[in-house]
Amino acid sequence: MSKKRVIVPIILLILVFLVIGQLTRHLFDAMERSLYAERQNHLTEVTTQSARILSHTMKDSWELAFLFQAFLGDELQKNINIFENVKTFNRSHPDDTVGILLFDEKGHFYTEDGLVGKQSSLWRLTAERPERQVYIEKKTFLDSNEDMMYFLQRLPTPVKTQFDGREVLITHFAFARSIEYMLSRFYTEFRQSSNAFILDDAGLMLFKRYSMGILIEGSNYFNKLRRYCDFFHGEDVEQMISQLRCGKTCCAEAYYAGQSKKAFACMAQIEDTPWYLTFTVPTECLDSGASNRLTTIFWYLAGMVLLLGIAAVSMVIFVHRLVTERELLVKKEEANRFLEQAAQAAQEASVAKTEFLSHMSHDIRTPINGIMGMTELAKKNLQDSTKVASCLGKILISSHHLLALVNDVLDLSRIESGKTVISSASFNLSATVANCVSIIRGQINNRKLEFESDISGVKHPWVFGDDLHLRQILINILGNAVKFTPDGGGIYCKASEIALEGDVCRVQFDIRDTGIGMKPEFLQRIFDAFSQEDDGARSRYKGTGLGMAITKKYVELMGGTITVESTFGEGSLFTVVLPFPVDKNDHAQTAGQALSGISLKGARVLLAEDNEMNSEIARELLESEGLEVVCVEDGQQAVDCFMRNVPGTFDFILMDVMMPVMDGLQATMTIRSMERPDAKTIPILAMTANAFEEDVRRTREAGMNEHLSKPIELSYVLKALRNFYKGDHPRPPVV
């Protein structure tokens, strides 16, 4: 025990120092990020404001150009020489404008003192006769090589004037302003320690001024960022350029290749131009004392954390010595309680497993017993067609019951494993409820039951939600109402909108019956799996005991609630409330085409099915309806058969999904990719035992038109075929 008392504090001390190291490192990183964010935000604001002021300065220049144009028009009416007009305007508007240039039709430009020369880029503008244009050029007059911004404006009417005894035609004028002077109006904070650029949309440097620090050599700023800059805060050059072109200001810190200095690259668009204003500011010029303060704060906090850690370890050692014995006693008591709880949980799990297997054994054996018994009776009475038909009908009923049990168990398993996905698609809520009511009415044709429904309270019929699971919820509850209501009773279904919160409506479904009802103790476990009123009910009503458990889980997955009120011997009331986003789109009402009268006689089907028995059953059922069936055993054979027969040979393809050599999904995608007129249009229907939602999604994505789940019911298959049938027509023979 003494060794343990020594080792435990040492381990705790090591852990404390490790935690301190991690804590201080994260603290230092957080402070660095905070400092970086502060610098970035400051430079972003400076760059944004600078670009905005430069844009306003350029707008002022255009306003001055318009003012000069108006002045010139008025003065020329007085027959005053245009050069005198320039002098007069300059005297009356003394400002930072360097000068006014006049351009003749040959590209020569003039100051107020006369001919100066010919400028190539401005001559190109003159030749193209633009209405107005702004360009950056070196100043080629007044003995200066300064970068200038020229605001070129075309005269509404060319002006003829005399110069050196010859007549010239003045077509344009331009204000020439010093870019350095324009920048100096706002660019002061980092003027002596940063570089300034004006770029075009491709990143070419129209203007560049180097003060000190980082040198950006070359003519394209964007390319230099791509090739020579290492951004170490996670920025991406292409993303910055993309944001810049969308009007956002960008600012990021980087190392420049070949130089040991860090610098911020800040870029902003100049409003109403395709140009960008860019600053490159060395990090060291922003705040020389920030790093020292950061380091001081770091070590101060690290020392404080270290002292707290030592104090904590000392306290732990002291407390550890006081409570060691008591902790051992408490641990023993907790271990005993844990063992008792584990034993109880194991016993409950064993009981639950036994109960589950007992229920499953009973529910599976019951329909299987019926199927086997009726099969034996049918074999012994083959000459009695009435008896055989009766046996086959009962076999079909037992088969449907067995299939319902398998589907319920799989649905419950998928819900509990979290694999069930609630979809959100537009559907007609009123039509869905009406369809469920129609299905239930079909089940009570031979029953003396009163069935009333009311959907008038649905104010927004078109909503977004999961139509399939809503149908399952309503049919489960209505089916139970039919099952547990004796003849002479009644069933009532009502759907109404009880609230509208923004774009989401809450719809309440009330389903009431006058059936046998439930006892209060059973209401506490009605939504448990395999729960029924009593053991006898399982045989009397032939249920799986899973319907209400699945219904409740679907309701909760859809964000709703379900409650039940019941009185034994009088009936039950189920209330389901579900939210649905309202679909505000217009939905035209179209009349559905009656498909039941369409004859499929003579239509030809390519059936891909690897199971010999399934293929035989499907072929004989379809041929009994007058269809011609061509069978293949895998997806590759289906592709080959379709490819070697001319278009129009087949009306449909029934495709199993899981097959050897090539599965149905790959075969469908191969057919859809063929270069022939019917490859994209021939109806391909999945006929598969894969019946889950993701299976349906995969068949749709592969290019299949419909998903038919096995075991196949002929009525559903014929309905799907009629839906895609284009009518009788001559068909080439099958090769």
Side-chain angles (χ1 to χ4, degrees):
M1 182 64 68
S2 59
K3 290 184 177 179
K4 184 177 180 181
R5 290 184 177 180
V6 174
I7 293 174
V8 170
I10 293 176
I11 294 176
L12 290 176
L13 184 61
I14 294 174
L15 291 176
V16 168
F17 277 103
L18 290 176
V19 171
I20 290 173
Q22 290 294 322
L23 181 61
T24 51
R25 183 178 66 83
H26 287 302
L27 183 61
F28 186 77
D29 291 342
M31 294 174 66
E32 273 197 327
R33 289 193 298 269
S34 176
L35 180 61
Y36 172 70
E38 180 181 348
R39 289 170 169 173
Q40 185 182 45
N41 292 336
H42 175 63
L43 287 175
T44 298
E45 180 64 23
V46 169
T47 307
T48 302
Q49 293 297 330
S50 299
R52 185 175 294 119
I53 295 173
L54 179 58
S55 175
H56 291 166
T57 303
M58 294 174 66
K59 290 179 181 178
D60 292 342
S61 299
W62 282 119
E63 291 178 1
L64 191 62
F66 293 144
L67 183 63
F68 174 72
Q69 182 174 310
F71 168 81
L72 192 62
D74 294 338
E75 294 300 315
L76 289 176
Q77 293 179 3
K78 303 176 184 179
N79 296 322
I80 301 176
N81 185 278
I82 191 170
F83 294 103
E84 294 299 325
N85 291 334
V86 172
K87 294 179 180 180
T88 301
F89 187 83
N90 281 337
R91 287 194 299 269
S92 60
H93 294 84
D95 56 14
D96 60 307
T97 302
V98 171
I100 302 175
L101 302 181
L102 301 175
F103 289 85
D104 64 18
E105 59 182 341
K106 297 182 179 180
H108 297 98
F109 62 93
Y110 307 80
T111 65
E112 63 183 30
D113 298 322
L115 179 66
V116 174
K118 190 171 185 179
Q119 199 168 32
S120 59
S121 60
L122 294 179
W123 163 237
R124 183 175 65 253
L125 294 177
T126 308
E128 294 173 356
R129 297 296 191 269
E131 181 68 28
R132 68 173 187 172
Q133 185 63 273
V134 58
Y135 262 76
I136 294 176
E137 283 277 349
K138 292 290 185 181
K139 185 167 67 173
T140 56
F141 57 94
L142 300 180
D143 299 325
S144 172
N145 196 33
E146 186 178 4
D147 284 297
M148 306 294 293
M149 190 175 293
Y150 294 89
F151 298 87
L152 184 71
Q153 178 78 31
R154 187 177 63 183
L155 291 173
T157 303
V159 177
K160 292 182 179 180
T161 186
Q162 295 292 325
F163 181 78
D164 287 344
R166 59 183 178 85
E167 185 177 85
V168 295
L169 184 64
I170 304 299
T171 60
H172 289 70
F173 71 91
F175 276 84
R177 309 191 75 169
S178 167
I179 298 179
E180 187 66 29
Y181 178 80
M182 294 171 70
L183 291 176
S184 67
R185 297 181 61 185
F186 56 84
Y187 178 52
T188 57
E189 185 173 357
F190 308 110
R191 181 175 180 80
Q192 301 303 321
S193 59
S194 65
N195 304 330
F197 309 97
I198 295 179
L199 315 176
D200 66 7
D201 186 63
L204 293 176
M205 298 182 188
L206 304 177
F207 166 80
K208 52 187 175 181
R209 181 184 63 76
Y210 294 106
S211 294
M212 63 175 293
I214 305 301
L215 296 179
I216 305 294
E217 298 179 353
S219 60
N220 191 299
Y221 188 82
F222 292 165
N223 288 342
K224 299 306 174 183
L225 292 181
R226 293 185 181 104
R227 297 176 184 174
Y228 303 117
C229 294
D230 181 16
F231 292 91
F232 51 89
H233 289 283
E235 292 88 351
D236 179 76
V237 175
E238 300 304 329
Q239 184 178 8
M240 290 176 60
I241 295 174
S242 177
Q243 292 177 348
L244 179 65
R245 288 171 174 164
C246 293
K248 297 182 180 179
T249 301
C250 302
C251 186
E253 189 178 19
Y255 277 114
Y256 284 80
Q259 303 185 45
S260 59
K261 295 181 179 180
K262 294 189 296 183
F264 278 85
C266 307
M267 299 179 286
Q269 186 173 25
I270 304 172
E271 295 177 3
D272 300 325
T273 73
W275 295 348
Y276 308 114
L277 179 63
T278 301
F279 296 134
T280 303
V281 184
T283 301
E284 63 185 14
C285 299
L286 296 174
D287 186 0
S288 59
S291 298
N292 293 332
R293 291 197 302 271
L294 182 63
T295 303
T296 301
I297 294 173
F298 166 75
W299 286 114
Y300 173 76
L301 292 176
M304 293 294 293
V305 173
L306 179 61
L307 291 176
L308 290 175
I310 294 174
V313 171
S314 301
M315 183 62 70
V316 168
I317 294 173
F318 176 74
V319 174
H320 176 73
R321 290 177 177 176
L322 293 178
V323 302
T324 298
E325 296 297 332
R326 180 164 179 79
E327 284 182 351
L328 291 175
L329 180 60
V330 171
K331 287 181 179 179
K332 289 181 180 179
E333 294 176 352
E334 290 179 349
N336 291 334
R337 286 197 300 269
F338 176 77
L339 290 175
E340 292 175 359
Q341 293 173 357
Q344 183 179 356
Q347 184 178 2
E348 293 175 353
S350 177
V351 172
K353 179 180 179 181
T354 302
E355 183 180 359
F356 173 81
L357 293 176
S358 175
H359 287 160
M360 286 297 298
S361 176
H362 175 274
D363 286 325
I364 291 176
R365 288 177 181 273
T366 298
I368 290 178
N369 182 64
I371 292 171
M372 295 176 66
M374 288 299 105
T375 302
E376 288 295 330
L377 287 176
K379 289 173 63 178
K380 293 179 180 181
N381 296 274
L382 293 176
Q383 304 304 321
D384 188 349
S385 60
T386 303
K387 186 70 174 178
V388 171
S390 176
C391 291
L392 292 177
K394 293 175 182 178
I395 289 174
L396 185 60
I397 293 173
S398 296
S399 299
H400 281 294
H401 178 68
L402 184 60
L403 178 61
L405 173 64
V406 173
N407 287 337
D408 284 348
V409 172
L410 292 177
D411 283 345
L412 187 63
S413 175
R414 289 178 59 77
I415 292 172
E416 292 179 343
S417 65
K419 294 182 179 180
T420 298
V421 178
I422 300 299
S423 63
S424 180
S426 177
F427 72 98
N428 190 312
L429 180 62
S430 300
T432 297
V433 177
N435 181 259
C436 295
V437 169
S438 176
I439 293 174
I440 297 302
R441 287 190 187 277
Q443 297 179 5
I444 63 174
N445 283 338
N446 299 321
R447 298 281 305 279
K448 296 179 180 179
L449 290 176
E450 180 183 354
F451 189 10
E452 296 181 4
S453 63
D454 179 11
I455 58 175
S456 60
V458 178
K459 300 177 183 178
H460 298 87
W462 283 96
V463 296
F464 291 100
D466 195 320
D467 179 30
L468 177 63
H469 288 125
L470 175 60
R471 289 174 187 269
Q472 191 163 354
I473 291 169
L474 296 179
I475 289 177
N476 277 352
I477 300 175
L478 288 169
N480 278 351
V482 172
K483 185 188 302 182
F484 295 105
T485 302
D487 288 355
I491 301 171
Y492 309 93
C493 175
K494 180 181 179 181
S496 58
E497 184 177 315
I498 60 174
L500 181 64
E501 302 169 356
D503 293 334
V504 178
C505 65
R506 301 186 68 82
V507 181
Q508 179 170 309
F509 304 90
D510 296 307
I511 300 173
R512 181 167 56 88
D513 65 67
T514 60
I516 62 176
M518 292 170 277
K519 297 177 182 178
E521 56 269 21
F522 177 69
L523 285 177
Q524 303 299 322
R525 54 187 180 88
I526 184 176
F527 296 114
D528 295 341
F530 294 103
S531 62
Q532 286 189 342
E533 184 71 29
D534 54 54
D535 291 339
R538 300 187 64 80
S539 299
R540 190 183 317 139
Y541 295 104
K542 298 181 181 179
T544 65
L546 295 174
M548 285 297 99
I550 293 172
T551 297
K552 185 174 188 297
K553 291 183 182 296
Y554 279 153
V555 169
E556 292 174 346
L557 286 173
M558 295 172 70
T561 60
I562 180 172
T563 57
V564 57
E565 302 174 11
S566 183
T567 302
F568 185 70
E570 297 182 7
S572 305
L573 170 63
F574 284 84
T575 302
V576 177
V577 179
L578 293 172
F580 295 100
V582 176
D583 184 359
K584 297 183 179 180
N585 297 322
D586 293 332
H587 294 270
Q589 302 294 326
T590 58
Q593 180 184 5
L595 300 175
S596 59
I598 297 178
S599 173
L600 296 172
K601 186 175 182 180
R604 185 178 292 154
V605 178
L606 175 59
L607 173 63
E609 171 63 69
D610 64 311
N611 185 282
E612 183 177 353
M613 181 179 295
N614 289 343
S615 179
E616 180 181 358
I617 292 172
R619 179 176 57 79
E620 293 192 5
L621 289 175
L622 292 173
E623 287 180 347
S624 69
E625 296 294 326
L627 287 87
E628 180 183 347
V629 182
V630 177
C631 298
V632 294
E633 297 179 356
D634 57 57
Q636 184 61 57
Q637 292 183 17
V639 172
D640 295 340
C641 182
F642 180 79
M643 184 182 300
R644 68 172 173 263
N645 284 279
V646 299
T649 302
F650 297 102
D651 296 286
F652 316 100
I653 299 177
L654 289 179
M655 185 81 73
D656 189 15
V657 172
M658 298 182 65
M659 293 185 291
V661 185
M662 179 185 290
D663 62 37
L665 299 178
Q666 185 62 43
T668 299
M669 290 187 287
T670 303
I671 291 173
R672 293 300 190 205
S673 64
M674 292 181 183
E675 295 295 333
R676 49 184 285 171
D678 60 341
K680 301 292 190 300
T681 59
I682 185 169
I684 303 179
L685 290 74
M687 193 169 62
T688 173
N690 299 335
F692 293 127
E693 294 166 359
E694 61 266 28
D695 299 317
V696 178
R697 176 179 55 79
R698 283 196 291 268
T699 58
R700 297 288 189 185
E701 291 175 350
M704 295 185 178
N705 302 90
E706 189 63 81
H707 186 103
L708 304 174
S709 300
K710 294 180 181 178
I712 296 298
E713 292 193 25
L714 181 60
S715 59
Y716 292 154
V717 176
L718 295 178
K719 181 180 178 181
L721 294 180
R722 290 190 181 104
N723 188 47
F724 294 102
Y725 190 45
K726 298 180 180 179
D728 193 20
H729 60 87
R731 297 171 182 82
V734 178
V735 179

